[in-house]
Amino acid sequence: MEFYAMVLSDFNKPLIRDKIHLDNPQGNEVIIKILAAGMCGTDLGISRGIELKPGFQLPMILGHENVGEIVSIGDSVQDYNIGDRVAVYPAWGCGKCRWCRGGFPNLCPYQTTPGQTGYNGGYAEYMLVPDYRWLYGIGSLDPIHVAPLVDAGTTSLGAVKKIVSSVSPVSTIIINGIGGLATYTVQIMKTVMPTVNVIAVSRKDEHLEFAKKLGADIVVKPSQLKETVGMVTDGEGAQGAIDLVSSSDTVQMLNSVLSVNGKLVLVGAYGKTSNIDVFTTMVYQHSISGSNYGTYQDMIDVIKMYSMKRIKSYVVERKLEDANVGLEAISSGTVLGRQVIVPD
């Protein structure tokens, strides 16, 4: 099979439209025709030569948020047939380590990810999935609106679950960084715990307005956060915070406004290091946790949330040949919501 894809051939250079060849699938392998491929900030980082996982090699086809139609299957594939429309879970664990055995392939130290390690992603007309067990049938759901759920929605649910397990239903929760990922983080938080008070934080006015649309109860700029949290919580502090930026400044800012036993979940990767007030963290027993993606079941659950109309996708569609335009839009922060490549 031959088809076209937008290929990353060198860092800090535009993706190149090129012809790709795929052999017929074998064993558990499946080939899908890409119906929608979400664009992620991680893709931009990879294109610049940062955020690279071990084993990354050029050339690479980016794209780890993929929905497609099965067009060819290996002889060991079960449960799926040609013509099925599927979402592709992208944290392909080894299947043998303790994390995979426990249902957490997103924590597998040997995992591969399409568009990041080992396998090409979905900025293409077709894509190989090495094992049908990473697929999930979406039936008649809109693939363009499902694609971002594969990563952005799943990552958001994974982070929200880490917060809601340790806070009261009438607590104050901060979500910092209202970009593409927050599209789902705010909605999912208000869906899972509708009575919590969500404070959304962003430097940009238009992003704060977007956060209101998503369901945030209060929107503030960073300079207003400390005073606002003090007023809203009567000086107690926020019980939880999700940092979708995770720079040195934002980690310190959020840690400083947590309540006793408050929890900070780091999701963004924009900062490499951060200094925190150790005394405050120790005395008030703050906990700081990383959140890496979500499980296969998290992906299923967030797709079901969408199908039940509990959450919405806000998308900007791009043609395959406009992938570079999409990466530039991520860089400039001009898109509210998520961008999705639609090859047709």
Side-chain angles (χ1 to χ4, degrees), residues 207-224:
H207 288 201
L208 294 178
E209 287 300 316
F210 186 52
K212 289 181 183 179
K213 184 175 182 179
L214 296 172
D217 300 287
I218 300 172
V219 298
V220 297
K221 293 186 176 181
S223 60
Q224 303 168 312

Side-chain angles (χ1 to χ4, degrees), residues 134-174:
W134 302 125
L135 304 178
Y136 176 68
I138 67 165
S140 61
L141 295 178
D142 183 350
I144 297 172
H145 287 250
V146 171
L149 300 174
V150 169
D151 176 15
T154 302
T155 296
S156 294
L157 180 57
V160 167
K161 286 168 63 177
K162 288 179 172 62
I163 288 287
V164 300
S165 63
S166 59
V167 302
S168 73
V170 291
S171 57
T172 294
I173 307 298
I174 304 166

Side-chain angles (χ1 to χ4, degrees), residues 40 57 128-129 134 198 201 214 216 267 272 277 281 298 324 326 333:
C40 179
Q57 291 183 333
L128 173 72
V129 181
W134 302 125
V198 171
V201 186
L214 296 172
V267 181
K272 300 301 180 184
D277 185 335
T281 304
D298 288 338
N324 289 309

Side-chain angles (χ1 to χ4, degrees), residues 90-228:
W92 299 340
C94 69
K96 300 177 181 179
C97 70
R98 62 182 298 167
W99 306 109
C100 286
R101 292 196 302 269
F104 297 95
N106 53 308
L107 301 182
C108 173
Y110 314 108
Q111 69 175 263
T112 55
T113 304
Q116 297 183 25
T117 51
Y119 293 89
N120 284 319
Y123 287 19
E125 294 175 321
Y126 294 87
M127 172 183 160
L128 173 72
V129 181
D131 198 312
Y132 69 92
R133 289 173 293 185
W134 302 125
L135 304 178
Y136 176 68
I138 67 165
S140 61
L141 295 178
D142 183 350
I144 297 172
H145 287 250
V146 171
L149 300 174
V150 169
D151 176 15
T154 302
T155 296
S156 294
L157 180 57
V160 167
K161 286 168 63 177
K162 288 179 172 62
I163 288 287
V164 300
S165 63
S166 59
V167 302
S168 73
V170 291
S171 57
T172 294
I173 307 298
I174 304 166
I175 298 176
N176 178 62
I178 308 303
L181 191 57
T183 301
Y184 298 108
T185 312
V186 174
Q187 292 186 83
I188 291 172
M189 179 62 75
K190 293 298 290 185
T191 297
V192 174
M193 293 189 77
T195 55
V196 299
N197 194 30
V198 171
I199 300 178
V201 186
S202 179
R203 300 180 186 277
K204 298 182 178 180
D205 292 332
E206 61 269 30
H207 288 201
L208 294 178
E209 287 300 316
F210 186 52
K212 289 181 183 179
K213 184 175 182 179
L214 296 172
D217 300 287
I218 300 172
V219 298
V220 297
K221 293 186 176 181
S223 60
Q224 303 168 312
L225 180 62
K226 187 171 184 178
E227 180 180 359
T228 301

